[in-house]
Amino acid sequence: MQGQSALIGSLEYSPFSKIKYYPCAIEESGKLNPHKMVFQAIGRLLGYPKRTPSSFKSQQKTPAEGERLYIEAGYAKTRIIDSDLQTLVTLPEGISQQEWIATNAANFFHHVNLIYEVIAEFCTPRCCPTMVAFKTEFVWMDDKGRKMKNSAQQYADYVILSGQKLLMDERVFPTKYGKPFPRSFESLVQKFFRHLFHILAHIYSAHTQEIIALELHSHLNTLYVHLILFCKEFELLNTKDTAIAEHLTKHML
């Protein structure tokens, strides 16, 4: 944040950072479809053959066949880098812990947002009427503390919108040199990372088939392990938060 000095040691493992959007992702109505733009861009970037909706659907497994694919050895252990992720989460010398957490929060938010956008076309209110991850349902709490039952897509939208608002709040994430972080910083970033974890857990629970079909499981695994290790290092998620995905984490680490 302050001077962006904490970018030292951060990890850039997303295949989406170089995506260029093309004008062919246009509906018959003449309007741009952002999800199609993402898929077409990824296809060009990774060299995927052009797929029609019917051909993509034919490659997907049924729910019974796809159950717990994320813990199969052929998928769970794949990564896009050989580096020890634990070394990447360690606080670098000369950087404050709050500064390091703040910069990594922005990076994690960016990557989780991008990986969710890839499967957003499949995460519809019809397919995912509630925000569920490994049989655990999450509800959104508004600013007044009221519980709001949403579809997974709506929940993810709230996470993205609230995350953007938080990251742009100078009172929480100061960018001016010498300006202190607030006393509430720790509790705010814990909530922030908990929401990101919910999205990743939902993707594994409900959309592993799509991720594997797009051959992006290595990217998702790397992102998940990196986030889990980072949160453990700085106690941003407690065991109650991560208990729902304990079986997944054990196979990943």
Side-chain angles (χ1 to χ4, degrees):
M1 305 259 68
Q2 301 169 11
Q4 298 299 317
S5 60
L7 285 173
I8 299 172
S10 63
L11 178 64
E12 277 294 336
Y13 47 72
S14 172
F16 317 114
S17 57
K18 298 181 180 179
I19 284 178
K20 294 182 179 179
Y21 296 109
Y22 297 84
C24 53
I26 303 176
E27 301 284 14
E28 293 181 0
S29 63
K31 295 181 179 180
L32 289 174
N33 183 321
H35 298 313
K36 286 186 178 180
M37 292 170 71
V38 171
F39 278 109
Q40 290 171 357
I42 291 173
R44 287 174 173 81
L45 182 63
L46 300 182
Y48 295 157
K50 185 176 181 180
R51 298 176 177 177
T52 63
S54 58
S55 65
F56 183 84
K57 185 177 181 181
S58 66
Q59 295 182 22
Q60 292 182 293
K61 297 184 178 182
T62 63
E65 293 173 319
E67 187 176 4
R68 296 170 71 88
L69 276 174
Y70 48 82
I71 62 174
E72 291 187 6
Y75 301 124
K77 296 298 183 181
T78 59
R79 306 284 187 275
I80 64 169
I81 61 172
D82 296 325
S83 304
D84 180 9
L85 288 173
Q86 183 61 52
T87 63
L88 294 175
V89 306
T90 303
L91 179 65
E93 185 177 352
I95 297 178
S96 73
Q97 180 170 308
Q98 289 178 319
E99 182 82 11
W100 183 240
I101 291 174
T103 299
N104 278 274
N107 289 335
F108 279 118
F109 178 80
H110 172 68
H111 290 301
V112 172
N113 187 13
L114 287 173
I115 201 76
Y116 179 76
E117 280 298 317
V118 175
I119 56 86
E121 187 167 324
F122 305 100
C123 190
T124 64
R126 181 178 178 181
C127 297
C128 305
T130 57
M131 182 57 169
V132 175
F134 307 114
K135 299 181 181 180
T136 298
E137 182 177 344
F138 302 107
V139 294
W140 187 258
M141 301 282 286
D142 66 14
D143 294 337
K144 297 182 179 180
R146 295 175 299 193
K147 293 183 179 180
M148 302 168 59
K149 190 172 183 178
N150 310 110
S151 67
Q153 187 181 72
Q154 290 172 319
Y155 188 96
D157 286 344
Y158 282 131
V159 170
I160 300 305
L161 289 173
S162 65
Q164 288 176 335
K165 183 179 179 181
L166 186 69
L167 290 170
M168 295 178 67
D169 191 337
E170 282 283 333
R171 297 169 299 178
V172 182
F173 289 85
T175 58
K176 295 182 179 179
Y177 182 77
K179 190 173 182 179
F181 288 87
R183 293 181 179 179
S184 59
F185 179 76
E186 183 177 351
S187 61
L188 288 171
V189 293
Q190 286 174 339
K191 182 179 180 181
F192 174 88
F193 275 97
R194 186 162 60 249
H195 288 157
L196 296 185
F197 172 77
H198 290 170
I199 291 181
L200 292 182
H202 174 74
I203 292 174
Y204 275 109
S205 178
H207 302 290
T208 297
Q209 295 175 45
E210 291 88 347
I211 289 292
I212 290 175
L214 289 167
E215 300 178 13
L216 293 175
H217 47 287
S218 297
H219 296 83
L220 177 61
N221 291 349
T222 306
L223 174 57
Y224 180 81
V225 173
H226 189 195
L227 184 139
I228 290 296
L229 291 176
F230 186 81
C231 289
K232 283 187 176 181
E233 182 77 8
F234 300 104
E235 300 180 349
L236 300 173
L237 292 173
N238 58 44
T239 54
K240 183 179 179 181
D241 294 326
T242 58
I244 62 165
E246 184 177 2
H247 62 298
L248 169 64
T249 304
K250 284 183 178 179
H251 281 82
M252 291 290 179
L253 299 179

